[in-house]
Each structure stands twice: as C-alpha cells, then as structure tokens.
Amino acid sequence: MREVLSAIQQWRAGGRKAALATVVKVYGSAPRPLGARMAVSSEKEIAGSVSGGCVEGAVVSEALNVLESSRPKLIPFGISDERAWSVGLSCGGEIEVFVEPLPDENLLGRLGESLAQERSCVLCTGLQGGLAGKHLLAWPDESESVGDIAGADRDALTSVAFDCLESQRCSRVALPSEQGACDVLIEPFPPLPRLIVIGAVHAAESLIAYARILGFRTWVVDPRSAFASPERFGHADRLITDWPIGALKPEDFHESTYVAVLSHDDKLDNPALKMALASPCRYIGVLGSKKTQAKRRSALLGMGVSESALDRLHAPIGLNLGGRRPEEIALSIMAEIITVRYGVKLD
C-alpha cells in the first residue's frame, strides 16, 4: 500500500476516481507476494504492480469495469510459463486479485498518517459475501478502529488481525461472519525496519550497506569518533558519536527494530543489550565466542536482565556461513536478520 498511496492522493486531489487491485492469493510461483497492490485511475494511470507486468493489462480493464459498476470483484489469473520467464520466473503460477473501488477517504487518510508516523496498524479487507469490499483499520495501542466492518465481525477480526501484526505477515483468513463465512485479507503495517548497530567496527561498514539495499533504516552508535566517522559511515542514515545510554531512548526500539551489537567492549555492548532486551525489538544479536557469551550472560544477569529476556539473544551473532572476512561476517548477520524478519526456522 505504501507504494500507491501518494498516487491515490494526487488523483483524488485532481478529482479523478481510482480502483485498487490487490493480490489476495498465490498458487505456485508468482512475481508479487500476497498483499501486492496496484492502483488504477479513471484516466488509466497506474501505480504499483500485482504481477510484474504479466497480467497488468487485464487488471487495468477489470479496474475500469469496477469503477463503472462500483462493485468489487475477486478474479483469478493464470501466469503462463512464457509470461513467467519475462519477469524472471522459471515457471508460471496463479494469483487471485481483488479489485475494488477505493476505500473510504477517511480510512485511507488515517492509514497514510499512521505510515508517515511509523505507527503500527493493520488493515483488513473483506473479499467475499456480505463483507466483500468492507474494511477495518485498527491500531494495537488503542481501542479505536475505523471502517465499515462492525459489530461482532469487528471484534472477531481485531483479535486475529493483531496476531498477524505481531508476526508481521500478510494473511488471508476465513472469518465466521454474521453474514456467512467470508475470506478476509489481513495486512499488517509495522514501522519500516530499522537496524541499530552498536560499534563502528569494520564489519559494520558492509552490514550498513547490505541493510540499506534491503530497505532498512540504518543507525550506527559509537562514542569513538575515530571509528564512527562520516568517511566510514556516510552511507548510514544516522551516525551517533555517543554512548548507547545517551544516544538511545526506549522508544527507539520498536517492533521492527533489529539490533546488532558488535563493539566487543562491555562498556558499550552491555548497556545497549540491556535496553534492547527490555524492548519489543524483533532481533538482538551480539558478536563474540561462546565463551565470551557465557561471561556476558552472567554480567547481564547481574545488571537485572532476566533469564527469559536473555533467551532472545542471537549469540554468537549471524548464521554460520563459514566466512571470516568482515564483509562475510556482515553477510552472515544480515542473513540471520532476514530469517527472523520472515519467521523462517532453520535446522
């Protein structure tokens, strides 16, 4: 949704109508994931994509029909092997696309505000039956929600929606509605991913570069200005030459925060770890051998960190890829972060 909101706002400001197309089911290989969106204006302008080019033309035609009828449609599309090759796949697949008139202006406005403020929220869209084309936008930090899904349906959906927000994964669920069973697409919007690196060591340079390529906001924290220099870390979004306890606040560690503690200096590492372990951040990894980790664990217990909190640590940090160069260590850390981000369990 983030990629199409600004275009939708421009079209509406210019008095143009628009329809929204969303990938709501994927069978086999497909170019775009569940929740991928494309917006189509009444003037045939396009923002976003549902298939990387495979079926966009057909979706535009369906979107214009929906604008004319004001009725949402759930449409299956097959992606042939030939078309799949054109977007980099080895074989075709099938997708279902839900095409609907734009949701209520207030709902989209509130969603846009939440995204701009990096405030977690979840958007639910009814796909079938009496809930088709109806929506619910909710926030986990307050009881308020907006949308035209009401009553018992709203209560039942909110609980499921917040579970999806915790896992940060888009999901299609069957909801036993007052109006009959209905499939609902649940799309979580956590804050944009943030990587906080403690320690401006050599591996951190490559780690920041990898993270930026993958869409992370990146922070480097280290009081040693000789290490944390703009010449070495000009590619970071924030470079903070201060001790972690002074540089970071509890609100800096949200549910999309990933923390890599790399300085190998207890005066830097342990206070940062204590702060991170008391927060809802999604990943906390720390550099050091197993022997070092045992000493660190004892020190953190002495600082009041609980055993259950310490079990969240990825220590030693990174997947065992066998590399030893700083760039390879950075790659192993980023690989582990990605597995945590997408909930992948490795053997």
Side-chain angles (χ1 to χ4, degrees):
M1 184 66 88
R2 283 185 171 95
E3 62 189 276
V4 301
L5 265 181
S6 61
I8 288 171
Q9 291 165 351
Q10 291 175 9
W11 297 340
R12 273 186 160 162
R16 299 189 290 283
K17 294 182 179 180
L20 193 61
T22 308
V23 176
V24 297
K25 197 160 189 176
V26 175
Y27 305 88
S29 299
R32 300 296 315 278
L34 198 68
R37 282 196 166 92
M38 182 172 78
V40 181
S41 80
S42 52
E43 301 300 317
K44 300 183 181 180
E45 300 157 297
I46 297 173
S49 171
V50 292
S51 72
C54 292
V55 299
E56 253 73 352
V59 173
V60 170
S61 296
E62 294 288 358
L64 295 174
N65 291 336
V66 164
L67 283 178
E68 187 173 340
S69 69
S70 297
R71 295 177 183 172
K73 296 178 69 175
L74 186 60
I75 311 161
F77 289 99
I79 301 173
S80 68
D81 288 350
E82 182 179 343
R83 282 182 166 182
W85 270 109
S86 72
V87 290
L89 296 174
S90 59
C91 59
E94 294 181 20
I95 59 174
E96 279 188 357
V97 177
F98 185 68
V99 186
E100 60 179 322
L102 285 182
D104 173 76
E105 187 170 356
N106 175 57
L107 183 144
L108 280 184
R110 294 291 302 277
L111 175 59
E113 290 173 4
S114 292
L115 297 183
Q117 297 165 3
E118 296 200 29
R119 182 183 172 203
S120 291
C121 61
V122 59
L123 176 64
C124 307
T125 303
L127 305 178
Q128 296 170 326
L131 295 183
K134 294 188 176 182
H135 302 88
L136 175 68
L137 178 64
W139 296 264
D141 55 353
E142 59 181 71
S143 58
E144 179 192 11
S145 56
V146 298
D148 48 6
I149 296 177
D153 290 339
R154 178 176 292 211
D155 295 338
L157 188 54
T158 299
S159 176
V160 178
F162 290 157
D163 287 342
C164 289
L165 183 58
E166 185 174 347
S167 68
Q168 300 189 10
R169 302 189 74 176
C170 192
S171 182
R172 179 171 170 169
V173 301
L175 181 73
S177 163
E178 292 180 336
Q179 304 170 62
C182 178
D183 281 3
V184 178
L185 183 73
I186 301 178
E187 185 175 10
F189 291 98
L192 291 172
R194 173 186 297 163
L195 174 64
I196 299 177
V197 177
I198 307 298
V201 298
H202 196 171
E205 296 181 57
S206 296
L207 181 57
I208 293 297
Y210 295 149
R212 285 180 59 84
I213 290 171
L214 293 169
F216 285 68
R217 305 280 180 85
T218 55
W219 296 12
V220 177
V221 179
D222 195 318
R224 303 167 297 185
S225 57
F227 293 92
S229 66
E231 290 76 21
R232 297 182 67 213
F233 290 98
H235 55 320
D237 293 304
R238 288 187 63 183
L239 177 60
I240 308 171
T241 50
D242 196 357
W243 295 88
I245 201 70
L248 301 170
K249 305 180 293 295
E251 55 266 32
D252 293 329
F253 300 93
H254 54 53
E255 58 268 37
S256 292
T257 301
Y258 301 75
V259 180
V261 178
L262 308 180
S263 82
H264 234 310
D265 183 334
D266 289 348
K267 298 189 300 296
L268 280 169
D269 292 350
N270 290 353
L273 287 168
K274 183 179 180 181
M275 292 179 69
L277 289 167
S279 79
C281 65
R282 197 162 178 81
Y283 171 90
I284 308 164
V286 57
L287 195 67
S289 66
K290 290 183 179 180
K291 184 177 180 180
T292 299
Q293 301 302 345
K295 292 180 180 178
R296 176 175 288 114
R297 190 178 184 93
S298 177
L300 289 169
L301 286 170
M303 294 168 66
V305 179
S306 69
E307 289 276 5
S308 59
L310 286 171
D311 288 342
R312 298 174 58 199
L313 276 179
H314 293 263
I317 196 171
L319 301 183
N320 184 9
L321 303 181
R324 292 294 180 267
R325 296 170 55 202
E327 299 85 356
E328 294 167 339
I329 293 170
L331 181 61
S332 76
I333 296 169
M334 202 68 234
E336 185 172 62
I337 286 173
I338 294 302
T339 65
V340 171
R341 184 181 186 188
Y342 292 107
V344 175
K345 302 296 184 183
L346 299 178
D347 294 334

